[in-house]
Amino acid sequence: MTSAEAGALRRLAPPARRFLAHRKGVLVRLALWSLAESGQAFLVGHAVARSVDEGFLAGDPRRGLLWLGVALVAVLSGARVVRGVFAQLAGVTEPLRDGLVRRAVDRSMARAAPGGPGGTDRAAVSRLTNQVEIARDSFAGLVLTLRSFVFTAAGALLGLLSLHPALLVVVLPPLAAGLALFLVTLRPMAAAQRRALAADEALGDHAASARAALRDLAACGTGPGVERRGADLVADAAAAARTLAGWAAVRTAALGVAGHLPVLALLIAVEWLRGHGVSVGALLGAFTYLVQSLLPALHTLMTALGAAGSRLLVVLDRILGPETETETEPETEAETDRVPVPDRVPEPVSVLKSQPGPTTASASAAAFAVDMAAAPAVELRAVTLSYGARAEPVLDALDLCVAPGEHLAVVGPSGIGKSTLTRLVAGTLAPSSGEVRVAGRPVTGRPAAELAALRVLVPQDAYVFSGTVGDNLAYLSTDACRAELDAAVGAFGLGPLVERLGGLDGTVRPAELSPGERQLVALVRAYLSPAPLLLLDEATCHLDPASEARAEEALAGRAGTLVVVAHRLSSAVRADRTLVLDGVRARCGTHAELLDRSPLYRDLTGHWNS
């Protein structure tokens, strides 16, 4: 056992004793039901032996059938015993879960209370949900497994002894040898599992950091060193996996010795046992004890004990033990699956609308002046956004100008900041620094009613409410007439769905719509909105390519500006311009321009095409 495991056991032993001491009544009732399980295991084999010796072999079939009826009753009573066991088990596991939840809440509140260490407890949600449920399930599994093995084994061994002591001489040695071999593998296999997990995590971290820094590695010529480090980590992971596989093989051998060797030994020793006065019925009863009771309980014990015990120990130590250094660090919130950003200060980015004609400095300045005079539909001025004081910026010094009526697509790797950009423009998220304007007006801090008049944001998970079809479509445009609704339905190809629901006056039940159908309803709703700016945050991801093209063409033909977080390459090709976010700098231009100027866009294009 490692020092970490020993320390965890020392920390957990006192609260475990206190917890069990307060539930003596439940434990006594659980033990009584378990004794009933022992009696059931005893009766099954004993009745089989008596049915053979005192019934069928003695020429009394009625007596044999009577004893088989006793065995059948014992088997059927197992359902009642299991029900009683689970009823009492809840009296132990549910208080454990409640206590762990209270402990997790108290621990998180103590951090935030005056005088506490402060900071955000980033593990609190995991402790309250996943870790507590793991602890409850693992504890319940251990109680069921250990209890079943102990009492079932007691009943079966007592039954073997009652049939003939010689049976124990044959069965016990291989059974004890297999069980001892299994117990010997517990600690080294747990250590091998930890080493394999650590090696796998180290390899994953190295691969992720190397992928994020490929350009720097190529520019600095440090690729061979990183490659050698990766090879070493692969070798370490392979060695750890081989060690783990070796111990798993030993555990499988232990299961074979304890689970199958007793039956084989009993078969081999039949002649010897018969010579020592063991009857045919006793032999058949012994086989019944092994196959029906003892060996299944042993198999369950060996299968569940190692994994459930280690998992329970780790989770309880996380919830009940002292806070680790990692837990005391302030949480750095970030977007889901955000990729790492290189640790350097990116240069400010200026993204301006491309204009046809000469590409001289004066022409660009004139175009920019025209855009500014027309009050850009969207304007970002040196916008930086970081989730936390010490976090890498998701967007850094981003300048962006989108002209009225323009169709802009936004692309980039997952987690790079595309959704963050749409939330900034929508005014639901404030930048760390810089300014965001829509139609010439700052959006940060603006009331929700004013923001609703400026823009519509359609997220990936579209919102549809219970009501009529017309109410859903006209939710953002209450004065839309029926002709406008019919025209919008036709433009988006929503006619079959509306007809299936019973027309515009039909009832919408959100649970009965597919994700794509919900997105189409939300897109038509945005199309009918009088807001001059539409923001689509992968709002067509559940549509097929043809439906997506039809929807985007309808939205682009609407009076106003369209900004789309692209889900497919075709969205970028259809747009007037495309903004490429890569975490360090941003580039903006047409599809053809970006293919020439942006390596990341070329990579994304190749990914989409493949």
Side-chain angles (χ1 to χ4, degrees):
M1 180 177 295
T2 64
S3 58
E5 289 175 328
L9 283 175
R10 285 193 297 270
R11 288 192 298 271
L12 297 176
R17 286 194 295 266
R18 290 194 298 270
F19 175 79
L20 295 176
H22 286 83
R23 284 154 187 88
K24 292 180 181 178
V26 175
L27 295 177
V28 169
R29 290 191 294 272
L30 186 60
L32 291 177
W33 279 110
S34 299
L35 282 175
E37 189 171 355
S38 293
Q40 179 216 5
F42 174 84
L43 275 178
V44 171
H46 191 81
V48 169
R50 291 291 179 266
S51 71
V52 173
D53 288 339
E54 300 176 7
F56 300 114
L57 290 182
D60 190 352
R62 289 186 59 187
R63 191 177 184 87
L65 291 174
L66 180 63
W67 276 111
L68 286 181
V70 172
L72 178 62
V73 170
V75 171
L76 294 178
S77 67
R80 182 70 182 90
V81 172
V82 170
R83 180 181 177 183
V85 167
F86 272 90
Q88 300 306 318
L89 183 66
V92 179
T93 57
E94 298 308 308
L96 173 69
R97 180 182 64 175
D98 295 342
L100 293 177
V101 168
R102 284 193 295 270
R103 168 62 179 167
V105 172
D106 292 343
R107 183 173 177 176
S108 182
M109 295 297 292
R111 176 193 289 271
T120 302
D121 189 0
R122 62 185 176 189
V125 174
S126 176
R127 283 196 294 267
L128 280 172
T129 55
N130 187 44
Q131 294 183 28
V132 166
E133 292 303 315
I134 288 176
R136 185 189 67 165
D137 292 345
S138 299
F139 180 68
L142 282 176
V143 171
L144 284 175
T145 301
L146 291 172
R147 177 208 56 80
S148 177
F149 174 74
V150 170
F151 286 91
T152 301
L157 293 176
L158 183 61
L160 288 171
L161 181 62
S162 70
L163 294 178
H164 200 287
L167 293 171
L168 291 179
V169 176
V170 176
V171 170
L172 274 182
L175 189 66
L179 188 58
L181 183 60
F182 167 73
L183 294 176
V184 167
T185 65
L186 285 178
R187 283 194 288 181
M189 188 161 186
Q193 285 176 332
R194 285 190 295 274
R195 287 195 297 270
L197 180 60
D200 186 63
E201 289 176 348
L203 181 58
D205 291 342
H206 177 77
S209 60
R211 186 185 66 174
L214 284 177
R215 297 179 188 175
D216 293 338
L217 294 176
C220 300
T222 55
V226 174
E227 182 180 358
R228 287 192 297 272
R229 173 60 179 162
D232 293 339
L233 290 174
V234 169
D236 292 343
R242 284 193 294 269
T243 302
L244 182 60
W247 283 110
V250 175
R251 178 172 288 184
T252 303
L255 182 60
V257 171
H260 303 289
L261 201 55
V263 177
L264 182 60
L266 199 60
L267 288 172
I268 294 174
V270 165
E271 185 176 353
W272 179 83
L273 291 170
R274 292 286 293 156
H276 284 74
V278 179
S279 66
V280 174
L283 285 173
L284 189 57
F287 280 112
T288 302
Y289 279 128
L290 288 177
V291 176
Q292 290 293 115
S293 301
L294 193 57
L295 299 186
L298 182 63
H299 184 277
T300 303
L301 174 72
M302 289 187 174
T303 303
L305 183 59
S310 300
R311 188 165 59 242
L312 179 63
L313 181 64
V314 171
V315 172
L316 287 180
D317 191 45
R318 290 289 298 166
I319 298 176
L320 301 177
E323 294 189 3
T324 62
E325 180 181 353
T326 302
E327 291 172 335
T328 60
E329 296 175 359
E331 179 183 13
T332 302
E333 299 181 10
E335 288 187 321
T336 304
D337 64 10
R338 179 189 168 196
V339 298
V341 179
D343 186 17
R344 57 178 174 176
V345 179
E347 59 192 60
V349 179
S350 179
V351 183
L352 307 180
K353 187 179 188 311
S354 300
Q355 296 289 341
T359 58
T360 62
S362 58
S364 299
F368 181 59
V370 170
D371 286 339
M372 291 297 292
V378 177
E379 186 179 14
L380 275 66
R381 299 178 179 177
V383 168
T384 297
L385 190 283
S386 298
Y387 291 103
R390 293 188 295 173
E392 291 286 346
V394 180
L395 300 174
D396 199 340
L398 177 63
D399 293 334
L400 175 66
C401 183
V402 182
E406 187 178 9
H407 178 185
L408 178 75
V410 182
V411 302
S414 296
I416 203 63
K418 303 186 296 294
S419 295
T420 297
L421 178 62
T422 59
R423 292 174 60 195
L424 285 169
V425 175
T428 60
L429 183 65
S432 303
S433 63
E435 187 179 38
V436 180
R437 289 175 172 265
V438 172
R441 309 176 200 177
V443 297
T444 302
R446 190 170 292 276
E450 295 183 23
L451 290 174
L454 293 175
R455 87 294 180 267
V456 173
L457 172 62
V458 184
Q460 180 177 350
D461 297 320
Y463 172 68
V464 177
F465 56 87
S466 297
T468 68
V469 176
D471 289 342
N472 269 276
L473 298 181
Y475 180 70
L476 300 178
S477 180
T478 55
D479 58 347
C481 63
R482 195 176 189 89
E484 291 174 324
L485 294 179
D486 289 336
V489 167
F492 284 80
L494 205 61
L497 173 62
V498 173
E499 183 178 352
R500 190 186 85 203
L501 296 176
L504 293 175
D505 296 324
T507 301
V508 174
R509 296 178 178 85
E512 297 177 359
L513 300 184
S514 69
E517 289 171 340
R518 288 195 293 269
Q519 282 189 335
L520 280 174
V521 171
L523 291 172
V524 173
R525 180 191 301 155
Y527 174 84
L528 292 169
S529 167
L533 173 63
L534 296 187
L535 303 167
L536 308 186
D537 186 8
E538 293 201 57
T540 59
C541 63
H542 296 301
L543 303 182
D544 60 81
S547 298
E548 180 187 57
R550 184 170 186 170
E552 286 188 5
E553 288 172 0
L555 292 169
R558 168 187 178 274
T561 305
L562 178 63
V563 176
V564 179
V565 174
H567 180 67
R568 295 183 177 92
L569 174 63
S570 53
S571 295
V573 174
R574 282 190 293 267
D576 299 328
R577 287 189 304 157
T578 299
L579 173 66
V580 183
L581 298 177
D582 65 2
V584 179
R585 60 175 58 85
R587 294 184 183 275
C588 195
T590 65
H591 174 67
E593 291 171 345
L594 291 174
L595 286 176
D596 182 60
R597 292 161 36 200
S598 174
L600 175 60
Y601 187 76
R602 289 196 295 271
D603 293 343
L604 292 173
T605 301
H607 172 71
W608 271 323
N609 285 336
S610 63

